[in-house]
């Protein structure tokens, strides 16, 4: 049952939503359940990112996620979108306009988190890839989506999926942390520049969620700290007041709220959804 009936018929575009177990797909499913018409976008599952994080081409594609939504009675289409490529981003936003004539919601979710190394050993190429997808990609999608929202004259919602790494530093994650801190800056400027058009912009900062990316990070950090996976997960749980890592649905719920009319006066925020692990 929909929690926010006003979302029925609104058009949402979610980047990086083609991994069945990922945060973007959970957001796409939740917005569709609220009655939104969802444009599910992602790069091809055969990309190095999917391979490095153990993706499966069968279900881990924008097509697969959109098909499952439609099979379940929701409204969705899919389009390939590489957020590193401005023309590709522009075409995805153009797809929303051609298909539905409007865009009400943009969720900047695409991200890479598997390029981790100490600063002294981080290549400029890896730095550029992480900043390129996580931050420049969000900027490009915001740029083109906001133009369409402003043209439509009906306001809009921008939700940036940042991270706990937007608030705190983590070893071996200089590029990732910098990109996510940068996303909060992008969120604040978006809130200021687009506020007069009735467009809100907020970031969500999840802690750990065992998606493909999250599982890769668990394995990387448990190895780096010399812990077994069980020891690593126990130490993680001990830092979280609510006693468990996050679920993709926790993020989707907060995203749906931020997209709803209930959040009409919330903008420029970076909201922790971390079971209390992050409190500032
Ligand atoms: N899993 C976590 O613990 C966690 C915590 C905090 C924040 N996040 C953030 O949440 C977002 C989703 O992560 P996830 O955990 O669901 O991982 P995921 O790997 O399942 O999702 C990331 C998606 O981004 C896509 N992507 C990568 N490069 C792209 C590109 N150039 N263009 C378009 N799409 C591209 C991938 O194909 C994938 O579908 C990311 O921004 C991540 O940084 C995740």
């Amino acid at each position: 049952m929909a929690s926010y009936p006003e979302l029925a018929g609104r058009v949402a575009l979610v980047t990086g939503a083609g991994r069945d177990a990922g945060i973007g797909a959970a957001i796409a499913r939740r917005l569709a359940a609220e009655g939104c018409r969802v444009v599910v976008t992602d790069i091809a599952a055969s990309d190095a990112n999917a391979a490095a994080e153990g993706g499966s081409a069968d279900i881990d594609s924008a097509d697969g996620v959109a098909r499952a939504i439609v099979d379940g009675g929701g409204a969705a289409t899919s389009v390939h979108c590489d957020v590193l490529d401005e023309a590709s981003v522009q075409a995805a936003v153009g797809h929303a306009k051609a298909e539905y004539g409007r865009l009400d919601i943009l969720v900047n979710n695409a991200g890479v988190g598997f390029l981790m190394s100490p600063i002294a050993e981080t290549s400029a190429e890896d730095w550029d890839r992480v900043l390129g997808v996580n931050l420049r990609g969000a900027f490009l999608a915001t740029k083109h989506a906001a133009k369409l929202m402003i043209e439509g004259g009906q306001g809009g919602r921008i939700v940036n999926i940042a991270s706990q790494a937007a608030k705190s530093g983590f070893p071996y994650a200089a590029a990732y942390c910098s990109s996510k801190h940068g996303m909060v800056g992008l969120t604040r400027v978006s809130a200021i520049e687009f506020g007069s058009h009735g467009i809100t912009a907020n970031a969500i900062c999840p802690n750990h969620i065992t998606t493909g990316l999250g599982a890769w990070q668990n394995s990387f950090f448990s190895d780096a700290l010399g812990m077994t996976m069980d020891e690593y997960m126990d130490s993680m749980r001990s830092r979280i007041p609510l006693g468990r890592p996050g679920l993709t649905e926790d993020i989707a719920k907060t995203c749906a709220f931020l997209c709803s009319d209930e959040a009409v006066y919330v903008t420029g925020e970076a909201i922790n959804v971390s079971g209390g692990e992050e409190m500032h």
Side-chain angles (χ1 to χ4, degrees):
M1 200 177 66
S3 303
Y4 307 108
E6 69 274 17
L7 291 181
R10 293 200 188 155
V11 178
L13 187 154
V14 188
T15 67
R19 305 290 296 275
D20 190 55
I23 294 169
I27 289 171
R29 285 191 289 268
R30 175 63 195 253
L31 292 179
E34 295 290 341
C36 290
R37 296 172 286 174
V38 184
V39 180
V40 180
T41 79
D42 210 317
I43 50 170
S46 59
D47 179 83
N49 180 48
E53 294 170 17
S56 143
D58 297 339
I59 52 168
D60 292 319
S61 68
D63 287 351
V65 171
R67 200 168 40 242
I69 290 173
V70 171
D71 288 350
T77 56
S78 57
V79 64
H80 172 273
C81 175
D82 179 353
V83 300
L84 287 170
D85 175 4
E86 183 162 12
S88 178
V89 172
Q90 200 165 3
V93 172
H95 174 91
K97 184 177 182 182
E99 196 76 22
Y100 302 117
R102 59 189 284 169
L103 183 64
D104 303 287
I105 295 164
L106 167 69
V107 182
N108 282 310
N109 168 77
V112 291
F114 64 93
L115 297 171
M116 301 259 169
S117 50
I119 291 174
E121 292 165 27
T122 298
S123 68
E125 290 74 22
D126 282 359
W127 175 275
D128 288 346
R129 174 101 190 262
V130 175
L131 272 286
V133 175
N134 297 5
L135 184 55
R136 184 175 178 273
F139 147 68
L140 290 175
T142 299
K143 170 181 167 179
H144 292 287
K147 276 186 196 166
L148 183 53
M149 289 176 188
I150 291 168
E151 189 184 300
Q154 298 179 76
R157 295 282 191 267
I158 298 169
V159 181
N160 293 326
I161 307 304
S163 171
Q164 180 179 27
K167 303 278 185 85
S168 294
F170 294 90
Y172 313 120
Y176 189 75
C177 288
S178 301
S179 71
K180 296 298 186 179
H181 277 69
M183 256 189 144
V184 174
L186 176 67
T187 303
R188 291 177 176 148
V189 176
S190 300
I192 292 166
E193 289 194 8
F194 304 137
S196 62
H197 298 283
I199 298 169
T200 68
N202 292 287
I204 298 175
C205 300
N207 63 335
H208 173 76
I209 300 174
T210 307
T211 58
L213 181 156
W216 185 93
Q217 289 181 343
N218 289 344
S219 162
F220 176 86
F221 282 114
S222 57
D223 282 355
L225 295 167
M227 291 173 152
T228 65
M229 186 61 80
D230 283 348
E231 287 167 346
Y232 179 74
M233 293 307 290
D234 282 348
S235 80
M236 180 191 292
R237 278 188 281 271
S238 73
R239 292 192 302 272
I240 303 172
L242 290 180
R244 65 162 174 85
L247 300 171
T248 57
E249 289 74 17
D250 295 323
I251 309 309
K253 284 174 192 168
T254 306
C255 185
F257 164 71
L258 288 172
C259 293
S260 77
D261 289 356
E262 300 297 301
V264 69
Y265 200 56
V266 181
T267 197
E269 294 293 338
I271 299 170
N272 300 316
V273 180
S274 71
E277 185 178 4
E278 201 71 42
M279 291 196 182
H280 67 100

